[in-house]
Amino acid sequence: MLLTLMLTTVLLAWLGLEDFASALTFPGRITGAVFLAVAFTTLLGAVGVLDHWIQHSFPRSGLVALIGAFAALLTNVLVLVETVQDGDSKWYLTLFAVLSAGSAWAVLTVWRTVLIPVPKRVAAAVVVSSAIAVANFSYQNLYVPYQRNTVPLITLSMGKAVPGKDGKAFSVPVDITIQNHGPVGFYVLGTEFHAMGLQVPLSPKDRLRKQWQEDTEQWSRSSVVNPLSRREAYQPGELVEAKPWMPIGQWIESSGTFATRLVVQLPMNTPYDQVAFYATASLARKDRLVLQPPLQFVGNSWGGGKISGQVKQDQQKGVDSLIYRARVRENNALDEYTRDARFVTVYWQFGSQGANVTTTVARKGEENRHLPPAEQREMVSRYGLIDLVAGPHVQTLWDIKSQR
């Protein structure tokens, strides 16, 4: 009984101190404070056990031991439930299962030896403390994962196309701005800007209904949906330029703004009639994870080495990838110690049909595992992953090409 209470005290004090000092969310700090309060209660319970069975110097020591044992039981059971739900460690699962059983035995043993002078008051205290513990557990594990999301905003604007001095090329300036009006900051896992050249020949007569049907069949095969047009015949776009527009591994704080200007240059005799611009960003909420620097380059799809089957398949289809990886840490101490280490992997992909950034968070060696939709949603929610997209913003080139 004494061993159970002391082990519970040490564990809860350790977890509570870490959460109270460094949890990423306010509910996490509250959980740390609750753990510290319970640790103090179980410590008093251990002292009560010693006095109740050995020294007999305090007449209410049995009641103190009972309260401490019940606090240990309630907390150990709740932590056990959390470990079963989200944890990976068999060691911690076994430890809290043993402590839960030991706490239950301690409550029953002390209960049989204690005469409660005012049972209604004791029962009220037990109910209130239980309600506080359950409410904190429910808030942390039920409400917080489904709280209202906050999403930054990307804006993309184009300047006027400017011909070069020699008349052989022209430039199109593009301004990209990301604004975070929300209450939390975001890590920048990856960004990309790309420009697609479009040929849009005009039909001398109205296009047939069958041609419209063929246009709509392309909508399910591409991320770009070209409009149905009576005279314009849109062709698949071709990549003109692609590049990151913000350093990876950095962050944008609450109420923060980042702006940059890129310039796309094309020859004056370009075959394209239009250029479509896109800007995307892959972010992670700073209150859901800690990104342990550096987010470093670990390989590419064409250089050999150990890469995923999906990356190899994409490479065979003409889509190349740059791969970056970093260790992530959980937003609270309990998950950090009961879950295996997780890593975020960022794939910066590009090919003739465009560019994009994809991310995943998984255990080492499981980065390539295909996640079912439910697990994918759980991962995105747990780590606050967000993909932002701006575009397409289309610039017509006929006016600038006519200046040749």
Side-chain angles (χ1 to χ4, degrees):
M1 188 186 305
L2 187 61
L3 180 62
T4 296
L5 292 175
M6 290 306 300
L7 279 176
T8 300
T9 299
V10 172
L11 275 174
L12 295 183
W14 172 46
L15 295 174
L17 280 173
E18 289 212 18
D19 272 345
F20 187 72
S22 58
L24 301 183
T25 62
F26 179 72
R29 301 292 179 101
I30 294 297
T31 298
V34 171
F35 276 3
L36 289 174
V38 174
F40 180 72
T41 303
T42 55
L43 179 62
L44 292 180
V47 173
V49 167
L50 285 174
D51 186 80
H52 183 62
W53 268 279
I54 298 175
Q55 296 182 347
H56 307 289
S57 59
F58 181 60
R60 296 286 184 262
S61 59
L63 183 59
V64 173
L66 179 61
I67 294 174
F70 181 80
L73 171 62
L74 180 62
T75 307
N76 283 328
V77 168
L78 291 177
V79 172
L80 177 62
V81 171
E82 170 72 8
T83 306
V84 171
Q85 179 182 351
D86 289 328
D88 302 311
S89 172
K90 301 299 182 183
W91 190 89
Y92 277 100
L93 180 63
T94 303
L95 175 62
F96 284 113
V98 171
L99 289 178
S100 296
S103 301
W105 173 77
V107 169
L108 291 175
T109 302
V110 177
W111 180 272
R112 293 169 180 171
T113 63
V114 173
L115 179 62
I116 301 177
V118 280
K120 291 185 178 180
R121 293 183 181 178
V122 174
V126 168
V127 169
V128 170
S129 61
S130 301
I132 293 174
V134 172
N136 177 74
F137 177 83
S138 301
Y139 181 74
Q140 178 76 4
N141 294 279
L142 298 178
Y143 172 72
V144 172
Y146 300 99
Q147 64 184 335
R148 187 174 183 180
N149 286 330
T150 174
V151 180
L153 175 67
I154 294 181
T155 56
L156 185 66
S157 61
M158 299 165 295
K160 184 178 180 180
V162 179
K165 291 183 179 180
D166 58 3
K168 296 181 179 180
F170 62 92
S171 303
V172 182
V174 181
D175 294 313
I176 305 174
T177 303
I178 181 170
Q179 297 174 301
N180 180 17
H181 298 297
V184 300
F186 288 84
Y187 290 108
V188 179
L189 304 180
T191 61
E192 65 84 18
F193 161 82
H194 69 276
M196 301 293 291
L198 304 174
Q199 296 186 42
V200 191
L202 295 177
S203 172
K205 57 183 180 180
D206 287 353
R207 302 173 70 232
L208 301 176
R209 177 183 178 187
K210 185 177 186 303
Q211 292 176 305
W212 284 17
Q213 293 171 346
E214 291 173 353
D215 288 346
T216 60
E217 289 177 356
Q218 301 298 321
W219 292 357
S220 61
R221 305 173 188 173
S222 173
S223 59
V224 179
V225 178
N226 291 319
L228 297 178
S229 175
R230 186 173 294 276
R231 291 296 180 93
E232 294 176 332
Y234 285 84
Q235 306 297 322
E238 298 177 346
L239 183 67
V240 172
E241 186 168 322
K243 64 177 71 175
W245 54 271
M246 191 174 182
I248 64 171
Q250 301 300 310
W251 53 85
I252 178 169
E253 295 291 1
S254 174
S255 302
T257 300
F258 176 86
T260 187
R261 166 169 284 194
L262 306 175
V263 177
V264 177
Q265 294 181 310
L266 290 170
M268 193 67 76
N269 62 351
T270 179
Y272 305 121
D273 301 305
Q274 300 174 358
V275 178
F277 300 102
Y278 301 79
T280 67
S282 182
L283 311 176
R285 289 176 58 138
K286 291 184 70 177
D287 62 343
R288 302 287 180 88
L289 59 80
V290 175
L291 184 65
Q292 183 172 308
L295 179 55
Q296 60 185 0
F297 175 75
V298 295
N300 56 53
S301 58
W302 63 89
K306 188 177 180 181
I307 59 176
S308 72
Q310 184 61 52
V311 171
K312 291 180 181 178
Q313 293 176 17
D314 292 338
Q315 207 269 338
Q316 292 172 357
K317 296 176 181 178
V319 178
D320 291 310
S321 302
L322 303 176
I323 306 170
Y324 302 84
R325 186 168 295 131
R327 170 82 156 86
V328 300
R329 299 192 178 277
E330 306 289 337
N331 68 353
N332 65 84
L334 182 61
D335 285 346
E336 177 64 24
Y337 290 110
T338 61
R339 289 170 61 84
D340 295 337
R342 257 64 175 182
F343 296 82
V344 61
T345 304
V346 182
Y347 301 93
W348 203 94
Q349 299 180 306
F350 59 96
S352 61
Q353 300 303 311
N356 70 293
V357 177
T358 60
T359 60
T360 184
V361 179
R363 289 182 284 195
K364 194 169 185 178
E366 294 186 356
E367 302 91 348
N368 310 324
R369 186 171 71 90
H370 178 72
L371 296 179
E375 287 189 37
Q376 179 74 18
R377 290 192 297 270
E378 195 277 336
M379 178 195 69
V380 170
S381 176
R382 171 180 287 275
Y383 297 107
L385 303 182
I386 294 177
D387 292 322
L388 305 179
V389 179
H393 288 234
V394 180
Q395 173 82 54
T396 301
L397 303 181
W398 291 331
D399 55 342
I400 190 70
K401 289 168 64 177
S402 65
Q403 302 179 31
R404 281 184 292 181

